[in-house]
Amino acid sequence: MKVTPLKKQSKKNQRKFHAAKRGSWNGVSPITRVVQSKRIYDRNRTKQESRQSGDR
């Protein structure tokens, strides 16, 4: 049985092949893993830091 080159396979089969090769994030969203720069002013972060330190 001959193997058909990937370029000549249907788009559906190509997607299936590439999906099988891709890794899994195991339910973790990669977007939530981005660390924001500390130099950017973030009002919510300053509020959160002040609450954690006990300052009012």
Side-chain angles (χ1 to χ4, degrees):
M1 190 171 190
K2 286 188 174 181
V3 177
T4 312
L6 189 61
K7 291 268 186 184
K8 289 193 173 187
Q9 292 181 15
S10 67
K11 294 288 183 186
K12 184 177 181 180
N13 287 342
Q14 288 178 19
R15 278 194 293 265
K16 192 188 307 182
F17 173 79
H18 290 301
K21 292 291 182 181
R22 261 185 241 114
S24 170
W25 282 89
N26 295 323
V28 177
S29 175
I31 298 168
T32 60
R33 298 296 170 207
V34 175
V35 178
Q36 288 185 342
S37 173
K38 293 287 184 178
R39 296 190 304 177
I40 298 173
Y41 176 72
D42 185 7
R43 184 173 295 176
N44 292 329
R45 186 174 66 228
T46 55
K47 284 181 190 176
Q48 188 177 22
E49 287 173 355
S50 68
R51 281 191 214 120
Q52 287 176 353
S53 65
D55 297 339
R56 291 246 170 195

